[in-house]
Amino acid sequence: MSQSKEVLLNTRVGELVANDFRTAHIFSQHGIDFCCGGGITLERAISRFNADEDALLNALLALDENTVTDQGLTELPLPDLLNYIEATHHTFVREKAPLLVEYSQKMVRAHGENHSEIKPLAGWITALVDDLMPHLMKEEQILFPAILGLHNQVESQTCFGHISNPINAMQYEHDDALQIMEKISELTNGFQPPEHACTTWRVCYASLAEFDADLKQHIYIENNVLFPKAIALTA
């Protein structure tokens, strides 16, 4: 963003979204209509939608600071790697997945009858979210604590036997999620919106591209860094 609060307040909402689609997520979370209401300044939008000005501006100004690098992940101690995955990738899914569902449902209502790809797309997005949410819970409540127990050499009673069993299950679920993401990519022409697309449509596709990139990175780290480290503890 690299802008002052004063500049942000005097910029039109639609212009902010056009310059950085990530702002749309923040506007959605604060109840600001960035699609039909995008022609007014942020200051007027905050007043119209009764948003928390300080919280909103701070979130917008923090966008540049939220870039995370994955350098040195292989060298991270196992507890730190688990924390990193939860704080970075699991948090990302929980924040962005409901917004993807929201955007796709808006598209169904506005364009579903005239564009045949919209309803299937919304269905696949819902399927992806329905797969990922319980997957995160299984990792956080079952697999990750078991890995941490192995690392700390703590004897624990588990119902799944060897640690490779839940790891294999999670890898199957990773494959399922990637296959759904591939379907979504095909339906959206590689996340490229048509020229006639409205702002919500464009934000949805840009958000899906971001989600796809994060999911692939997330799965790569678990499959190729975390899981081999965990299995090595049982050797």
Side-chain angles (χ1 to χ4, degrees), residues 117-219:
E117 73 274 25
I118 298 297
K119 288 181 180 177
L121 172 63
W124 282 115
I125 289 173
T126 298
L128 180 65
V129 173
D130 287 347
D131 271 11
L132 285 175
M133 290 309 185
H135 176 84
L136 299 185
M137 294 293 286
K138 282 182 274 188
E139 288 189 339
E140 291 169 5
Q141 296 184 5
I142 299 170
L143 179 57
F144 288 5
I147 292 174
L148 196 58
L150 282 172
H151 173 78
N152 293 328
Q153 299 181 318
V154 174
E155 287 286 334
S156 60
Q157 290 295 111
T158 60
C159 59
F160 51 69
H162 194 273
I163 197 71
S164 62
N165 293 324
I167 284 176
N168 288 338
M170 293 301 96
Q171 287 176 318
Y172 279 123
E173 292 185 9
H174 287 168
D175 290 344
D176 286 343
L178 290 174
Q179 286 175 12
I180 294 175
M181 205 74 235
E182 187 59 35
K183 292 273 190 188
I184 291 171
S185 178
E186 290 170 11
L187 275 172
T188 59
N189 190 31
F191 315 114
Q192 295 298 315
E195 287 191 12
H196 57 75
C198 68
T199 304
T200 298
W201 197 328
R202 292 180 186 279
V203 168
C204 183
Y205 278 28
S207 303
L208 283 168
E210 182 191 35
F211 199 89
D212 176 65
D214 182 85
L215 186 66
K216 286 173 178 170
Q217 185 183 46
H218 175 180
I219 288 173

Side-chain angles (χ1 to χ4, degrees), residues 27-71:
F27 293 142
S28 286
Q29 289 164 337
H30 286 265
I32 288 178
D33 177 6
F34 60 81
C35 194
C36 301
I40 61 175
T41 65
L42 181 58
E43 187 169 34
R44 285 188 61 201
I46 288 169
S47 176
R48 176 181 293 182
F49 297 104
N50 198 27
D52 182 327
E53 180 174 316
D54 285 340
L56 176 59
L57 289 173
N58 288 336
L60 292 171
L61 291 169
L63 282 176
D64 276 346
E65 300 164 16
N66 287 343
T67 51
V68 180
T69 62
D70 292 327
Q71 303 266 329

